[in-house]
Amino acid sequence: MFQSMLQTVKNSPFASPFQARCDDGLKVNPDRIISAADAAPGDDAESYSCEYGSPKFFAYCAFGGLLSCGVTHTSVVPLDLVKCRMQVDPGKYGNIINGFRVTLREGGIRELGKGWAPTFFGYSMQGVGKFGFYEIFKMFYSGLMGEENTYLWRTSLYLVASASAEFFADIFLCPMEAVKVRIQTSPGWAGTLREGVPKLFGEEGMMGFYKGIVPLWGRQIPYTMMKFACFERTVEALYMYVVPKPRAECTKGEQLMVTFVAGYIAGIFCAIVSHPADTIVSKLNKDPGASFMGVAKDLGFAAMWKGLFPRIIMIGTLTALQWFIYDSVKVYYRLPRPPPPTMPESLRLKLEAAAKGAN
């Protein structure tokens, strides 16, 4: 099975950003010398540290995902803590400002750091699955679709590849997410990860760590689908309509700024799409006897949107920084970074022929 998948990835239109492929037998003139238009100024194919789509490439992508998710989520633990408390006890914490005020009054400044350890380890592992598996699934599915369909249906490709990656990423995240929410929303339950893991296991067994997996999928999979598809298409649109020069003529710094802007735009949509499920996850992990449908019914539609504003700030910033860190890792380790997709030559010729035939 894995050999078949690897072979399909190798045959993918994304398998190399430096080779032209055409399904109708057209070939590149071997006597013509073409510079690497998809590289940053001063770069060439030989300057990269590995081949696009190689095991080394995927390993670096997984490491980039580990850094991007682990570091960013840990950095906003105070905001995440207040957001979770607003979701599970809106009467006490109210809005974001009052939530910080009550938290500081009751627990002091150290209270804002509660849950940092499960956040760091949980989201680091999630980042490995989210970004590393996304690259694998994107190449795998594009190999099944072929070059022309990959271009025509690229948004669907981004959606399916990111959903597949997040399915596995959430399995990595769920145990730490359960411990984190319990630490943050149940005063006196546990203060550290070392205390929380054995306590949760003793109270609910192994299933206690995965009780929230379904609503976590409900929150994270739509979030990640929006995150990757919106980011990919926003980058494409920015280079087409906003950036005054082609990506090939942009410096690495300019490319990373485009990455940051596209990431923030994607993050705003991500927060809105996934917020109701995020509220349900917080309630579920606080109450051992709760069920997904029971929590949704008790909350009602309006209450599911409590804490949306701080989450937009948090997720918008997180998503922008994640893409910035992830792309920076690719730049630092000299990984191939193909440009936004362009129409394959074979498809262009077919469309021109069809247009002439219609006339």
Side-chain angles (χ1 to χ4, degrees):
M1 172 182 168
F2 291 106
Q3 287 296 327
S4 174
M5 184 173 181
L6 286 174
Q7 188 60 42
T8 305
V9 167
K10 289 180 181 179
N11 294 332
S12 163
F14 288 148
S16 171
F18 310 113
Q19 295 178 356
R21 292 186 178 181
C22 298
D23 294 336
D24 57 0
L26 294 175
K27 298 183 181 297
V28 176
N29 184 349
D31 298 323
R32 184 181 177 194
I33 299 174
I34 305 175
S35 61
D38 50 345
D43 281 353
D44 55 58
E46 295 178 357
S47 72
Y48 292 111
S49 62
C50 60
E51 182 185 353
Y52 194 86
S54 65
K56 185 177 180 181
F57 173 81
F58 291 132
Y60 276 132
C61 289
F63 177 67
L66 182 150
L67 281 183
S68 67
C69 290
V71 171
T72 53
H73 278 277
T74 305
S75 69
V76 294
V77 161
L79 185 59
D80 183 48
L81 178 140
V82 173
K83 181 265 302 179
C84 287
R85 291 182 174 183
M86 287 170 57
Q87 289 173 329
V88 300
D89 194 353
K92 178 178 179 179
Y93 293 96
N95 57 40
I96 185 69
I97 296 174
N98 189 62
F100 271 102
R101 185 182 294 118
V102 172
T103 299
L104 288 170
R105 183 175 66 244
E106 293 183 347
I109 194 69
R110 294 188 62 181
E111 185 76 7
L112 293 176
K114 264 192 170 182
W116 74 266
T119 297
F120 175 75
F121 291 109
Y123 281 94
S124 292
M125 292 307 300
Q126 187 214 32
V128 169
K130 185 192 294 283
F131 285 92
F133 286 8
Y134 172 72
E135 299 286 0
I136 293 174
F137 279 116
K138 185 170 74 169
M139 296 179 73
F140 175 66
Y141 291 139
S142 71
L144 297 178
M145 295 166 66
E147 184 182 33
E148 293 179 2
N149 284 329
T150 290
Y151 176 79
L152 291 171
W153 298 92
R154 58 193 183 280
T155 301
S156 298
L157 171 66
Y158 304 145
L159 291 170
V160 174
S162 57
S164 301
E166 189 61 35
F167 177 86
F168 294 100
D170 288 344
I171 295 174
F172 302 156
L173 169 65
C174 196
M176 293 295 99
E177 180 75 358
V179 175
K180 175 191 78 78
V181 174
R182 193 71 64 87
I183 288 174
Q184 292 179 336
T185 61
S186 300
W189 181 78
T192 65
L193 177 63
R194 286 184 297 176
E195 183 185 354
V197 169
K199 187 166 187 178
L200 182 58
F201 182 78
E203 291 175 353
E204 301 184 43
M206 184 59 68
M207 290 307 298
F209 293 102
Y210 285 97
K211 182 179 68 174
I213 188 64
V214 173
L216 189 62
W217 279 328
R219 179 188 80 184
Q220 290 297 134
I221 289 179
Y223 161 85
T224 301
M225 292 170 71
M226 181 66 72
K227 174 179 181 174
F228 281 84
C230 184
F231 172 80
E232 298 268 23
R233 294 310 299 260
T234 301
V235 167
E236 187 178 336
L238 288 175
Y239 279 114
M240 185 177 297
Y241 301 111
V242 179
V243 180
K245 54 186 175 181
R247 200 190 95 154
E249 298 176 12
C250 296
T251 65
K252 288 189 174 81
E254 290 169 339
Q255 291 180 26
L256 289 174
M257 285 307 301
V258 172
T259 295
F260 183 86
V261 172
Y264 211 103
I265 292 171
I268 293 172
F269 288 100
C270 290
I272 296 171
V273 166
S274 61
H275 190 73
D278 179 67
T279 302
I280 295 174
V281 168
S282 297
K283 282 281 191 180
L284 273 174
N285 286 320
K286 182 178 184 295
D287 184 358
S291 65
F292 180 83
M293 293 304 297
V295 169
K297 185 177 180 180
D298 291 341
L299 282 172
F301 181 79
M304 289 185 190
W305 297 97
K306 287 285 186 180
L308 176 61
F309 181 69
R311 191 157 190 268
I312 285 177
I313 298 173
M314 183 180 77
I315 296 301
T317 305
L318 275 179
T319 305
L321 288 175
Q322 282 175 8
W323 279 112
F324 185 85
I325 293 171
Y326 181 65
D327 228 17
S328 296
V329 168
K330 286 186 171 183
V331 169
Y332 180 80
Y333 286 107
R334 297 182 294 110
L335 302 186
R337 297 164 60 241
T342 55
M343 182 180 294
E345 181 67 10
S346 58
L347 179 59
R348 186 186 65 80
L349 293 173
K350 288 179 182 179
L351 293 177
E352 287 182 356
K356 291 178 180 178
N359 295 330

